[in-house]
Amino acid sequence: MRIWRHRLFWPSAALVVLVAVNAIARPQFLRITLQDGELYGALIDILRNSAPLMLVALGMTIVIATRGIDLSVGAVMAVSGAVALTIIDGSGDPGATGTVLVAVVVALLVSLVLGAWNGFLVSALGIQPIVATLVLMLAGRGVALLITGGFITTVNSAPLAYIASGYLTVLPFAFIISVVVITALGLVERRTALGVLTEAVGINPEASRLAGVRSRGIIWGAYMVSGVLAGLAGIIYASNIKAADANAAGFLIELYAILAVVLGGTSLAGGKFSIAGTVIGVLIIQTLDSTILFLGVPSAQSPVFFAFVVVAVVIAQSPRTRNALRALGGARRPRAAASVQDRPKVEVAS
Amino acid sequence: MDGARPLLELTGATVRFGADAALDDVSFRMFPGEVHSLMGENGAGKSTLIKAVTGALALDEGTLTLDGDEVRFPTPHDAQRAGISTVYQEIELLPNLSVAENILLGREPRAHGVVSQRRMRDQARGILADLGLDIDPASILGTHSVAVQQLVAIARAISTDVRVLVLDEPTSSLDLDEVGELFRIIRELKARGVAILFVSHFLDQVYEICDRVTVLRDGRLVGEYLTRELLRIDLVHKMLGHDVSDYKARQREPVTQPDAPVFLSARGVTARGIGAADLDLGEAEIVGIAGLLGSGRTELARALTGAAHLDAGIIRIEGRAAHLDSPRRAISLGVVYSSENRRAEGILAELSVLENITLALQAHRGIFRRIRPARQRELAQSWVEALGIRPPDLDRPAGTLSGGNQQKVLLARLLALAPRVLVLDEPTRGIDVGAKVDIQNLVGELADNGLSVMFISAELEEVLRVGDRVAILRDGRIVETLRSGDMTVDSLLALVAQPDEQEG
């Protein structure tokens, strides 16, 4: 098997190129220093800052694998942050670890309920995922504002700040959370049958139902996972700014998460998915973000720069582009409606 | 006709997929005004040849000439412009658009640059009327039955200025009347000088409509023959390449004891499309289901297996009332169902053969009791060997297998559950003779081992041969259940086709 046929080849290549460009532009990019037993450097920052998007994108991957989409993740982040900070703010002792722990657990439970609501609309009522999650996407921020009373709740709490900025041994705690979640999802996918059953549901829900797969439970579960992970992301975000900002928390993150999933090679049509691909996709986005900051692109123009790079990566990844480049000047247009039988026999890879 | 110049001629055609040649130095020709059949088992290269002719695949070697001029079709669209239209086996239309839009897709009549809905409907109505079809052109395609959709696909193919019409398994979802209708259209086109390539697994139809046959085997040309000079037995022999007697369906001992214990009994089963059906499936018994399209064959199968909601009636398994409210529940009670719609409701095309075979068992065990990978491989391997699935590659996406092999993969998926009742809806539709006999024999063996089988087929001859008893369905009702030994194909046909008012 040729290496560039592997589904993770192009995303990985894009990431390597990005890192290389940065390294050439500013050699200190690759430098990692150890201070007081804690690692610092641009790469470490990328790993730390990517945590919220990582969690949201991982949840999104599972949902997309079931042929769904979850637009409400940003709103769930806002609700989760609002819940957690309102609890901490209202408690007598905001600095106590116990208080923060309770706040985090309650916020995650609320996020779970919101995810379950999405799952209910999609799997039990059969509402199209994009419509079903649009409901919460629009209503969620309103709920968050209601919880915070319309203000940006700010708190001063050391245990809370630790979540986003603290270090566990030599690595940032937020990055450790990412790693734990990635590992847990990877294990659940590999060590149980959930991965293959999720793909089956995503590829063909009716055939899966007839084969006795609990499609409803699997789809429902996917939205619950997405909800909880978005909730966790919301807590990290709130911890980072030490405030619950119902309007800014997770703003547009659903689109970046979808982009990360797609960059990682998972098809929006559902079915085959790749956790590793999503991880790479998130790192591409986060590295790009840091590149833009470093290059000093004025913030008003940074979305344009971002757009150019993303378009380039997406086009480079498209199998049609690659086929077209190969047969430049040959066929006028790609063959329409190629059936499965027509495809080259290379997709077995994974 | 032999003196005439071929309208279409393929010479020394070779198409390779990677290392293996799907088509190896094949020559093929069609004359104007003839119906030509392409015969061969699945995997013989029929589809590849068709795709080579219609521009869906490029030739690695060889030439294609149309009316004496060498041509190359980079896309199906180019072939269509040159007058070569195709109706594929699996309908490739857009179910969410109207019938008229489907027929005229890409050639919509325009008025001042805007698509004119009215003219489009009128044109479509005219084309449909040519085919003798009374369908509202404004209706949404997806609301029609598969048979009607198939006819719309044909209407679309002949609505252009067609010189060569390729029909790949056009009759697999049509009932007798509709086949007759299609043949009338074919004859008409033939009289207009159109060359028609007719691919079908039904030998009767091939002999009824075709003038000439080209036989392929393993991607190579076996020969070209005049249909009237080729005996059926010789044709089958040439397709299979070995003695037909090897493939002779095994004669089952008919179940002699009339009171074999009943395993599943249905009383007054009512669901959408089926009314008050009573049916008993005995242990080790095969019950064939005969009926025209739309008679409720599939609805009955789905109602008995938890795939469709039951409005009324009771199903007992070994005497105990069973609540079959989902396929999952039915599976846990040993009742499994294989849909007639292999592609839409059976195979998971992008998953591997291994994943397809182990899917139902894994789903039955639940998410957390994963079958160990080594055990999965062992299990899938044993089924691939037992059913002769080709190619025997467990990691290949199931969608790349031929129809017959996909069907075997589906059977393996169900049999891995060690079921007690097997409900097979058209398991032999659209698959080659070899795989068909394999499946018929397998069903016989399973019944010998104590399984109850419900076997649905549009081919009455097959229902009669495979089934111990045959239940005859008409308009959503079981009108009679008879021993197959007491019937002939003709008497069964009479029962199936009999209008209700003339009953008795």
Side-chain angles (χ1 to χ4, degrees), chain A residues 190-194 200 203-204 206-207 209-212 214 272 332-333 335 342 345 348, chain B residues 17 20 51 56 77-78 302 307 327-328 331 344-346 348 360 362-363 367 370 395:
Chain A
R190 293 226 158 183
R191 295 283 160 205
T192 73
L194 191 60
I203 290 170
N204 190 332
E206 181 59 10
R209 185 181 80 96
L210 289 179
R214 275 185 213 271
K272 290 271 176 197
R332 264 197 314 266
R333 61 172 192 178
R335 199 170 295 142
D342 297 338
K345 305 157 191 166
V348 213
Chain B
F17 293 119
D20 20 272
K51 285 177 180 155
H77 193 68
D78 296 300
R302 293 179 77 97
R328 189 176 169 77
I331 287 170
E345 298 182 350
L348 292 152
Q362 182 61 70
I367 289 168
R370 191 178 69 132
D395 300 313

mmCIF file of all heavy atoms in Angstrom, chain A residues 190-194 200 203-204 206-207 209-212 214 272 332-333 335 342 345 348, chain B residues 17 20 51 56 77-78 302 307 327-328 331 344-346 348 360 362-363 367 370 395:
data_model
loop_
_atom_site.group_PDB
_atom_site.id
_atom_site.type_symbol
_atom_site.label_atom_id
_atom_site.label_comp_id
_atom_site.label_asym_id
_atom_site.label_seq_id
_atom_site.Cartn_x
_atom_site.Cartn_y
_atom_site.Cartn_z
ATOM 1 N N ARG A 190 -12.265 0.960 20.098
ATOM 2 C CA ARG A 190 -11.530 -0.247 19.711
ATOM 3 C C ARG A 190 -11.873 -1.459 20.557
ATOM 4 O O ARG A 190 -11.922 -2.572 20.051
ATOM 5 C CB ARG A 190 -10.028 0.018 19.855
ATOM 6 C CG ARG A 190 -9.546 1.040 18.861
ATOM 7 C CD ARG A 190 -8.296 0.564 18.240
ATOM 8 N NE ARG A 190 -8.098 1.229 16.965
ATOM 9 C CZ ARG A 190 -7.089 0.949 16.160
ATOM 10 N NH1 ARG A 190 -6.221 0.028 16.509
ATOM 11 N NH2 ARG A 190 -6.954 1.570 15.019
ATOM 12 N N ARG A 191 -12.051 -1.239 21.851
ATOM 13 C CA ARG A 191 -12.217 -2.385 22.748
ATOM 14 C C ARG A 191 -13.665 -2.840 22.831
ATOM 15 O O ARG A 191 -13.934 -3.890 23.363
ATOM 16 C CB ARG A 191 -11.704 -2.051 24.156
ATOM 17 C CG ARG A 191 -10.238 -1.790 24.222
ATOM 18 C CD ARG A 191 -9.441 -3.086 24.165
ATOM 19 N NE ARG A 191 -8.078 -2.800 23.765
ATOM 20 C CZ ARG A 191 -7.287 -3.698 23.162
ATOM 21 N NH1 ARG A 191 -7.728 -4.900 22.892
ATOM 22 N NH2 ARG A 191 -6.069 -3.371 22.830
ATOM 23 N N THR A 192 -14.593 -2.002 22.413
ATOM 24 C CA THR A 192 -15.978 -2.461 22.370
ATOM 25 C C THR A 192 -16.410 -2.450 20.906
ATOM 26 O O THR A 192 -15.651 -2.081 20.037
ATOM 27 C CB THR A 192 -16.921 -1.529 23.157
ATOM 28 O OG1 THR A 192 -17.084 -0.326 22.415
ATOM 29 C CG2 THR A 192 -16.371 -1.199 24.522
ATOM 30 N N ALA A 193 -17.633 -2.864 20.679
ATOM 31 C CA ALA A 193 -18.122 -2.910 19.303
ATOM 32 C C ALA A 193 -18.750 -1.590 18.887
ATOM 33 O O ALA A 193 -19.307 -1.476 17.811
ATOM 34 C CB ALA A 193 -19.135 -4.032 19.166
ATOM 35 N N LEU A 194 -18.644 -0.568 19.758
ATOM 36 C CA LEU A 194 -19.337 0.683 19.473
ATOM 37 C C LEU A 194 -18.884 1.298 18.145
ATOM 38 O O LEU A 194 -19.695 1.804 17.378
ATOM 39 C CB LEU A 194 -19.110 1.677 20.607
ATOM 40 C CG LEU A 194 -19.989 2.919 20.546
ATOM 41 C CD1 LEU A 194 -21.451 2.540 20.606
ATOM 42 C CD2 LEU A 194 -19.657 3.880 21.662
ATOM 43 N N ALA A 200 -21.880 1.379 11.120
ATOM 44 C CA ALA A 200 -22.972 0.682 10.430
ATOM 45 C C ALA A 200 -24.211 1.571 10.386
ATOM 46 O O ALA A 200 -24.851 1.722 9.342
ATOM 47 C CB ALA A 200 -23.276 -0.640 11.131
ATOM 48 N N ILE A 203 -23.678 4.399 7.929
ATOM 49 C CA ILE A 203 -23.657 4.015 6.517
ATOM 50 C C ILE A 203 -25.066 3.709 6.033
ATOM 51 O O ILE A 203 -25.477 4.136 4.963
ATOM 52 C CB ILE A 203 -22.745 2.791 6.298
ATOM 53 C CG1 ILE A 203 -21.282 3.189 6.506
ATOM 54 C CG2 ILE A 203 -22.926 2.216 4.894
ATOM 55 C CD1 ILE A 203 -20.342 2.020 6.542
ATOM 56 N N ASN A 204 -25.809 2.958 6.807
ATOM 57 C CA ASN A 204 -27.142 2.564 6.364
ATOM 58 C C ASN A 204 -28.024 2.247 7.572
ATOM 59 O O ASN A 204 -28.017 1.136 8.086
ATOM 60 C CB ASN A 204 -27.033 1.344 5.440
ATOM 61 C CG ASN A 204 -28.342 1.031 4.758
ATOM 62 O OD1 ASN A 204 -29.412 1.322 5.284
ATOM 63 N ND2 ASN A 204 -28.267 0.427 3.595
ATOM 64 N N GLU A 206 -31.239 1.785 7.943
ATOM 65 C CA GLU A 206 -32.282 0.768 7.804
ATOM 66 C C GLU A 206 -31.679 -0.637 7.781
ATOM 67 O O GLU A 206 -32.171 -1.544 8.448
ATOM 68 C CB GLU A 206 -33.111 1.027 6.532
ATOM 69 C CG GLU A 206 -34.238 0.045 6.288
ATOM 70 C CD GLU A 206 -35.281 -0.014 7.410
ATOM 71 O OE1 GLU A 206 -35.260 0.835 8.315
ATOM 72 O OE2 GLU A 206 -36.107 -0.947 7.384
ATOM 73 N N ALA A 207 -30.599 -0.799 7.033
ATOM 74 C CA ALA A 207 -29.956 -2.109 7.009
ATOM 75 C C ALA A 207 -29.477 -2.475 8.405
ATOM 76 O O ALA A 207 -29.585 -3.629 8.820
ATOM 77 C CB ALA A 207 -28.781 -2.112 6.034
ATOM 78 N N ARG A 209 -30.795 -1.475 11.256
ATOM 79 C CA ARG A 209 -31.959 -1.810 12.084
ATOM 80 C C ARG A 209 -32.391 -3.253 11.823
ATOM 81 O O ARG A 209 -32.654 -4.025 12.733
ATOM 82 C CB ARG A 209 -33.118 -0.862 11.765
ATOM 83 C CG ARG A 209 -34.337 -1.040 12.658
ATOM 84 C CD ARG A 209 -35.443 -0.075 12.258
ATOM 85 N NE ARG A 209 -36.193 -0.546 11.109
ATOM 86 C CZ ARG A 209 -37.356 -1.223 11.188
ATOM 87 N NH1 ARG A 209 -37.889 -1.481 12.358
ATOM 88 N NH2 ARG A 209 -37.970 -1.611 10.092
ATOM 89 N N LEU A 210 -32.421 -3.619 10.531
ATOM 90 C CA LEU A 210 -32.846 -4.983 10.193
ATOM 91 C C LEU A 210 -31.847 -6.013 10.703
ATOM 92 O O LEU A 210 -32.200 -7.166 10.922
ATOM 93 C CB LEU A 210 -33.018 -5.125 8.674
ATOM 94 C CG LEU A 210 -34.215 -4.387 8.076
ATOM 95 C CD1 LEU A 210 -34.264 -4.579 6.572
ATOM 96 C CD2 LEU A 210 -35.518 -4.848 8.700
ATOM 97 N N ALA A 211 -30.594 -5.605 10.868
ATOM 98 C CA ALA A 211 -29.596 -6.539 11.381
ATOM 99 C C ALA A 211 -29.616 -6.574 12.901
ATOM 100 O O ALA A 211 -28.803 -7.246 13.523
ATOM 101 C CB ALA A 211 -28.204 -6.157 10.877
ATOM 102 N N GLY A 212 -30.546 -5.840 13.506
ATOM 103 C CA GLY A 212 -30.694 -5.893 14.951
ATOM 104 C C GLY A 212 -29.823 -4.905 15.709
ATOM 105 O O GLY A 212 -29.671 -5.012 16.911
ATOM 106 N N ARG A 214 -29.073 -1.563 17.623
ATOM 107 C CA ARG A 214 -29.889 -0.571 18.334
ATOM 108 C C ARG A 214 -29.546 0.810 17.817
ATOM 109 O O ARG A 214 -28.874 1.598 18.496
ATOM 110 C CB ARG A 214 -29.508 -0.573 19.811
ATOM 111 C CG ARG A 214 -30.177 -1.589 20.663
ATOM 112 C CD ARG A 214 -29.731 -1.292 22.104
ATOM 113 N NE ARG A 214 -29.644 -2.522 22.872
ATOM 114 C CZ ARG A 214 -30.667 -3.028 23.532
ATOM 115 N NH1 ARG A 214 -31.828 -2.428 23.513
ATOM 116 N NH2 ARG A 214 -30.533 -4.134 24.197
ATOM 117 N N LYS A 272 -17.709 5.649 8.081
ATOM 118 C CA LYS A 272 -16.322 5.530 8.533
ATOM 119 C C LYS A 272 -15.826 6.827 9.175
ATOM 120 O O LYS A 272 -15.962 7.901 8.582
ATOM 121 C CB LYS A 272 -15.427 5.203 7.333
ATOM 122 C CG LYS A 272 -15.655 3.796 6.789
ATOM 123 C CD LYS A 272 -14.750 2.824 7.496
ATOM 124 C CE LYS A 272 -15.021 1.392 7.039
ATOM 125 N NZ LYS A 272 -14.465 0.416 7.975
ATOM 126 N N ARG A 332 -13.221 15.915 -19.193
ATOM 127 C CA ARG A 332 -13.683 17.267 -18.971
ATOM 128 C C ARG A 332 -14.268 17.443 -17.586
ATOM 129 O O ARG A 332 -14.160 18.467 -16.980
ATOM 130 C CB ARG A 332 -14.731 17.635 -20.015
ATOM 131 C CG ARG A 332 -14.174 18.392 -21.190
ATOM 132 C CD ARG A 332 -15.313 19.058 -21.914
ATOM 133 N NE ARG A 332 -16.407 18.123 -22.099
ATOM 134 C CZ ARG A 332 -16.559 17.401 -23.198
ATOM 135 N NH1 ARG A 332 -15.721 17.515 -24.181
ATOM 136 N NH2 ARG A 332 -17.575 16.566 -23.311
ATOM 137 N N ARG A 333 -14.928 16.407 -17.119
ATOM 138 C CA ARG A 333 -15.466 16.510 -15.771
ATOM 139 C C ARG A 333 -15.370 15.148 -15.111
ATOM 140 O O ARG A 333 -15.342 14.127 -15.803
ATOM 141 C CB ARG A 333 -16.918 16.981 -15.801
ATOM 142 C CG ARG A 333 -17.807 16.038 -16.552
ATOM 143 C CD ARG A 333 -19.252 16.412 -16.400
ATOM 144 N NE ARG A 333 -20.059 15.304 -16.910
ATOM 145 C CZ ARG A 333 -21.369 15.281 -16.892
ATOM 146 N NH1 ARG A 333 -22.031 16.259 -16.379
ATOM 147 N NH2 ARG A 333 -22.028 14.257 -17.373
ATOM 148 N N ARG A 335 -16.194 11.737 -13.411
ATOM 149 C CA ARG A 335 -17.284 10.825 -13.699
ATOM 150 C C ARG A 335 -18.363 10.935 -12.629
ATOM 151 O O ARG A 335 -18.087 10.842 -11.451
ATOM 152 C CB ARG A 335 -16.722 9.410 -13.709
ATOM 153 C CG ARG A 335 -17.590 8.424 -14.426
ATOM 154 C CD ARG A 335 -16.834 7.130 -14.575
ATOM 155 N NE ARG A 335 -15.682 7.299 -15.426
ATOM 156 C CZ ARG A 335 -14.518 6.711 -15.209
ATOM 157 N NH1 ARG A 335 -14.362 5.963 -14.153
ATOM 158 N NH2 ARG A 335 -13.521 6.876 -16.033
ATOM 159 N N ASP A 342 -17.106 0.910 -8.937
ATOM 160 C CA ASP A 342 -16.154 1.589 -9.807
ATOM 161 C C ASP A 342 -14.938 2.086 -9.062
ATOM 162 O O ASP A 342 -13.917 2.341 -9.651
ATOM 163 C CB ASP A 342 -16.819 2.797 -10.455
ATOM 164 C CG ASP A 342 -17.955 2.366 -11.335
ATOM 165 O OD1 ASP A 342 -17.951 1.201 -11.759
ATOM 166 O OD2 ASP A 342 -18.831 3.167 -11.559
ATOM 167 N N LYS A 345 -9.781 -0.026 -5.485
ATOM 168 C CA LYS A 345 -9.903 -0.848 -4.276
ATOM 169 C C LYS A 345 -8.882 -0.448 -3.219
ATOM 170 O O LYS A 345 -8.056 -1.243 -2.830
ATOM 171 C CB LYS A 345 -9.690 -2.317 -4.638
ATOM 172 C CG LYS A 345 -10.602 -2.783 -5.731
ATOM 173 C CD LYS A 345 -9.997 -3.999 -6.421
ATOM 174 C CE LYS A 345 -10.762 -4.322 -7.684
ATOM 175 N NZ LYS A 345 -10.058 -5.251 -8.531
ATOM 176 N N VAL A 348 -9.775 0.120 1.804
ATOM 177 C CA VAL A 348 -9.818 -0.866 2.876
ATOM 178 C C VAL A 348 -8.859 -0.494 3.991
ATOM 179 O O VAL A 348 -8.932 -1.050 5.084
ATOM 180 C CB VAL A 348 -9.478 -2.250 2.336
ATOM 181 C CG1 VAL A 348 -10.230 -3.309 3.092
ATOM 182 C CG2 VAL A 348 -9.799 -2.326 0.855
ATOM 183 N N PHE B 17 -8.458 -3.840 -13.635
ATOM 184 C CA PHE B 17 -8.528 -3.192 -12.331
ATOM 185 C C PHE B 17 -7.288 -3.653 -11.599
ATOM 186 O O PHE B 17 -7.215 -4.806 -11.188
ATOM 187 C CB PHE B 17 -9.767 -3.626 -11.553
ATOM 188 C CG PHE B 17 -11.049 -3.137 -12.176
ATOM 189 C CD1 PHE B 17 -12.011 -4.038 -12.610
ATOM 190 C CD2 PHE B 17 -11.283 -1.783 -12.314
ATOM 191 C CE1 PHE B 17 -13.193 -3.579 -13.171
ATOM 192 C CE2 PHE B 17 -12.463 -1.338 -12.879
ATOM 193 C CZ PHE B 17 -13.418 -2.226 -13.306
ATOM 194 N N ASP B 20 -5.676 -7.514 -12.067
ATOM 195 C CA ASP B 20 -6.534 -8.469 -12.774
ATOM 196 C C ASP B 20 -7.368 -7.797 -13.863
ATOM 197 O O ASP B 20 -7.862 -6.686 -13.717
ATOM 198 C CB ASP B 20 -7.435 -9.256 -11.812
ATOM 199 C CG ASP B 20 -7.593 -8.572 -10.501
ATOM 200 O OD1 ASP B 20 -6.757 -8.822 -9.620
ATOM 201 O OD2 ASP B 20 -8.544 -7.759 -10.364
ATOM 202 N N LYS B 51 -20.127 -1.041 -19.252
ATOM 203 C CA LYS B 51 -19.540 0.253 -18.890
ATOM 204 C C LYS B 51 -18.541 0.718 -19.926
ATOM 205 O O LYS B 51 -18.390 1.918 -20.159
ATOM 206 C CB LYS B 51 -18.885 0.164 -17.516
ATOM 207 C CG LYS B 51 -19.919 0.155 -16.410
ATOM 208 C CD LYS B 51 -19.312 0.008 -15.052
ATOM 209 C CE LYS B 51 -20.410 -0.004 -13.995
ATOM 210 N NZ LYS B 51 -19.981 -0.706 -12.794
ATOM 211 N N ALA B 56 -18.682 4.643 -19.191
ATOM 212 C CA ALA B 56 -18.488 4.742 -17.746
ATOM 213 C C ALA B 56 -17.099 4.263 -17.347
ATOM 214 O O ALA B 56 -16.625 4.546 -16.256
ATOM 215 C CB ALA B 56 -19.553 3.942 -17.005
ATOM 216 N N HIS B 77 -21.955 10.775 -20.615
ATOM 217 C CA HIS B 77 -22.687 11.823 -21.305
ATOM 218 C C HIS B 77 -22.342 11.839 -22.801
ATOM 219 O O HIS B 77 -23.211 12.001 -23.652
ATOM 220 C CB HIS B 77 -22.329 13.159 -20.659
ATOM 221 C CG HIS B 77 -23.230 14.264 -21.068
ATOM 222 N ND1 HIS B 77 -24.549 14.310 -20.693
ATOM 223 C CD2 HIS B 77 -23.017 15.350 -21.837
ATOM 224 C CE1 HIS B 77 -25.101 15.383 -21.208
ATOM 225 N NE2 HIS B 77 -24.198 16.035 -21.916
ATOM 226 N N ASP B 78 -21.051 11.627 -23.102
ATOM 227 C CA ASP B 78 -20.630 11.600 -24.505
ATOM 228 C C ASP B 78 -21.265 10.430 -25.239
ATOM 229 O O ASP B 78 -21.667 10.542 -26.393
ATOM 230 C CB ASP B 78 -19.103 11.497 -24.596
ATOM 231 C CG ASP B 78 -18.435 12.726 -24.006
ATOM 232 O OD1 ASP B 78 -18.696 13.825 -24.506
ATOM 233 O OD2 ASP B 78 -17.681 12.575 -23.036
ATOM 234 N N ARG B 302 -42.167 -8.857 6.225
ATOM 235 C CA ARG B 302 -41.757 -7.842 7.199
ATOM 236 C C ARG B 302 -42.630 -7.900 8.451
ATOM 237 O O ARG B 302 -42.159 -7.662 9.563
ATOM 238 C CB ARG B 302 -41.810 -6.449 6.571
ATOM 239 C CG ARG B 302 -40.780 -6.261 5.478
ATOM 240 C CD ARG B 302 -40.857 -4.886 4.859
ATOM 241 N NE ARG B 302 -40.240 -3.883 5.715
ATOM 242 C CZ ARG B 302 -38.992 -3.444 5.562
ATOM 243 N NH1 ARG B 302 -38.248 -3.912 4.593
ATOM 244 N NH2 ARG B 302 -38.487 -2.549 6.380
ATOM 245 N N ALA B 307 -40.035 -6.307 11.280
ATOM 246 C CA ALA B 307 -39.520 -5.172 10.493
ATOM 247 C C ALA B 307 -40.619 -4.153 10.218
ATOM 248 O O ALA B 307 -40.337 -2.999 9.966
ATOM 249 C CB ALA B 307 -38.915 -5.660 9.179
ATOM 250 N N PRO B 327 -36.932 -5.717 14.611
ATOM 251 C CA PRO B 327 -36.093 -6.801 14.103
ATOM 252 C C PRO B 327 -35.203 -7.366 15.209
ATOM 253 O O PRO B 327 -34.933 -8.551 15.270
ATOM 254 C CB PRO B 327 -35.235 -6.097 13.038
ATOM 255 C CG PRO B 327 -36.017 -4.919 12.627
ATOM 256 C CD PRO B 327 -36.760 -4.476 13.845
ATOM 257 N N ARG B 328 -34.771 -6.465 16.102
ATOM 258 C CA ARG B 328 -33.893 -6.876 17.190
ATOM 259 C C ARG B 328 -34.564 -7.925 18.074
ATOM 260 O O ARG B 328 -33.984 -8.921 18.453
ATOM 261 C CB ARG B 328 -33.570 -5.626 18.007
ATOM 262 C CG ARG B 328 -32.530 -5.850 19.014
ATOM 263 C CD ARG B 328 -32.168 -4.566 19.737
ATOM 264 N NE ARG B 328 -31.348 -4.938 20.865
ATOM 265 C CZ ARG B 328 -30.076 -5.264 20.729
ATOM 266 N NH1 ARG B 328 -29.513 -5.200 19.553
ATOM 267 N NH2 ARG B 328 -29.384 -5.656 21.765
ATOM 268 N N ILE B 331 -34.945 -11.187 16.222
ATOM 269 C CA ILE B 331 -33.672 -11.908 16.179
ATOM 270 C C ILE B 331 -33.451 -12.653 17.485
ATOM 271 O O ILE B 331 -33.029 -13.805 17.503
ATOM 272 C CB ILE B 331 -32.509 -10.924 15.888
ATOM 273 C CG1 ILE B 331 -32.558 -10.492 14.426
ATOM 274 C CG2 ILE B 331 -31.160 -11.558 16.213
ATOM 275 C CD1 ILE B 331 -31.623 -9.352 14.073
ATOM 276 N N ALA B 344 -30.189 -1.344 -0.516
ATOM 277 C CA ALA B 344 -30.698 -0.309 0.382
ATOM 278 C C ALA B 344 -30.903 -0.814 1.800
ATOM 279 O O ALA B 344 -30.799 -0.058 2.752
ATOM 280 C CB ALA B 344 -32.004 0.258 -0.161
ATOM 281 N N GLU B 345 -31.204 -2.110 1.956
ATOM 282 C CA GLU B 345 -31.569 -2.587 3.286
ATOM 283 C C GLU B 345 -30.758 -3.788 3.729
ATOM 284 O O GLU B 345 -31.084 -4.453 4.699
ATOM 285 C CB GLU B 345 -33.059 -2.965 3.309
ATOM 286 C CG GLU B 345 -33.944 -1.794 3.015
ATOM 287 C CD GLU B 345 -35.413 -2.155 3.087
ATOM 288 O OE1 GLU B 345 -35.717 -3.363 3.180
ATOM 289 O OE2 GLU B 345 -36.236 -1.241 3.051
ATOM 290 N N GLY B 346 -29.726 -4.110 2.995
ATOM 291 C CA GLY B 346 -28.965 -5.300 3.357
ATOM 292 C C GLY B 346 -27.513 -4.999 3.589
ATOM 293 O O GLY B 346 -27.060 -4.789 4.706
ATOM 294 N N LEU B 348 -23.879 -3.390 3.839
ATOM 295 C CA LEU B 348 -23.275 -2.116 4.210
ATOM 296 C C LEU B 348 -22.036 -1.984 3.347
ATOM 297 O O LEU B 348 -20.972 -2.509 3.658
ATOM 298 C CB LEU B 348 -22.929 -2.107 5.696
ATOM 299 C CG LEU B 348 -24.192 -2.118 6.573
ATOM 300 C CD1 LEU B 348 -23.951 -2.760 7.900
ATOM 301 C CD2 LEU B 348 -24.739 -0.723 6.730
ATOM 302 N N ALA B 360 -24.626 -8.658 12.638
ATOM 303 C CA ALA B 360 -25.860 -8.988 13.362
ATOM 304 C C ALA B 360 -25.533 -9.708 14.672
ATOM 305 O O ALA B 360 -26.146 -9.442 15.705
ATOM 306 C CB ALA B 360 -26.772 -9.843 12.495
ATOM 307 N N GLN B 362 -22.811 -9.397 16.404
ATOM 308 C CA GLN B 362 -22.250 -8.402 17.318
ATOM 309 C C GLN B 362 -23.356 -7.534 17.903
ATOM 310 O O GLN B 362 -23.373 -7.276 19.107
ATOM 311 C CB GLN B 362 -21.232 -7.534 16.569
ATOM 312 C CG GLN B 362 -20.562 -6.501 17.438
ATOM 313 C CD GLN B 362 -19.777 -7.141 18.565
ATOM 314 O OE1 GLN B 362 -18.761 -7.763 18.362
ATOM 315 N NE2 GLN B 362 -20.292 -7.015 19.789
ATOM 316 N N ALA B 363 -24.291 -7.125 17.061
ATOM 317 C CA ALA B 363 -25.394 -6.293 17.537
ATOM 318 C C ALA B 363 -26.224 -7.061 18.556
ATOM 319 O O ALA B 363 -26.694 -6.513 19.545
ATOM 320 C CB ALA B 363 -26.266 -5.850 16.366
ATOM 321 N N ILE B 367 -23.005 -3.937 22.633
ATOM 322 C CA ILE B 367 -21.808 -3.137 22.382
ATOM 323 C C ILE B 367 -20.623 -3.630 23.210
ATOM 324 O O ILE B 367 -19.492 -3.658 22.743
ATOM 325 C CB ILE B 367 -22.104 -1.668 22.730
ATOM 326 C CG1 ILE B 367 -23.060 -1.080 21.696
ATOM 327 C CG2 ILE B 367 -20.834 -0.849 22.815
ATOM 328 C CD1 ILE B 367 -23.639 0.252 22.080
ATOM 329 N N ARG B 370 -17.821 -7.445 22.876
ATOM 330 C CA ARG B 370 -17.281 -7.482 21.536
ATOM 331 C C ARG B 370 -16.722 -8.866 21.217
ATOM 332 O O ARG B 370 -16.073 -9.489 22.075
ATOM 333 C CB ARG B 370 -16.160 -6.450 21.385
ATOM 334 C CG ARG B 370 -15.737 -6.265 19.945
ATOM 335 C CD ARG B 370 -14.663 -5.211 19.866
ATOM 336 N NE ARG B 370 -13.430 -5.706 20.467
ATOM 337 C CZ ARG B 370 -12.242 -5.599 19.868
ATOM 338 N NH1 ARG B 370 -12.145 -5.039 18.695
ATOM 339 N NH2 ARG B 370 -11.176 -6.041 20.472
ATOM 340 N N ASP B 395 -11.358 -8.576 4.001
ATOM 341 C CA ASP B 395 -11.182 -7.151 4.259
ATOM 342 C C ASP B 395 -11.651 -6.257 3.121
ATOM 343 O O ASP B 395 -11.545 -5.049 3.180
ATOM 344 C CB ASP B 395 -9.703 -6.866 4.560
ATOM 345 C CG ASP B 395 -9.251 -7.648 5.766
ATOM 346 O OD1 ASP B 395 -9.980 -7.628 6.766
ATOM 347 O OD2 ASP B 395 -8.204 -8.310 5.700
#
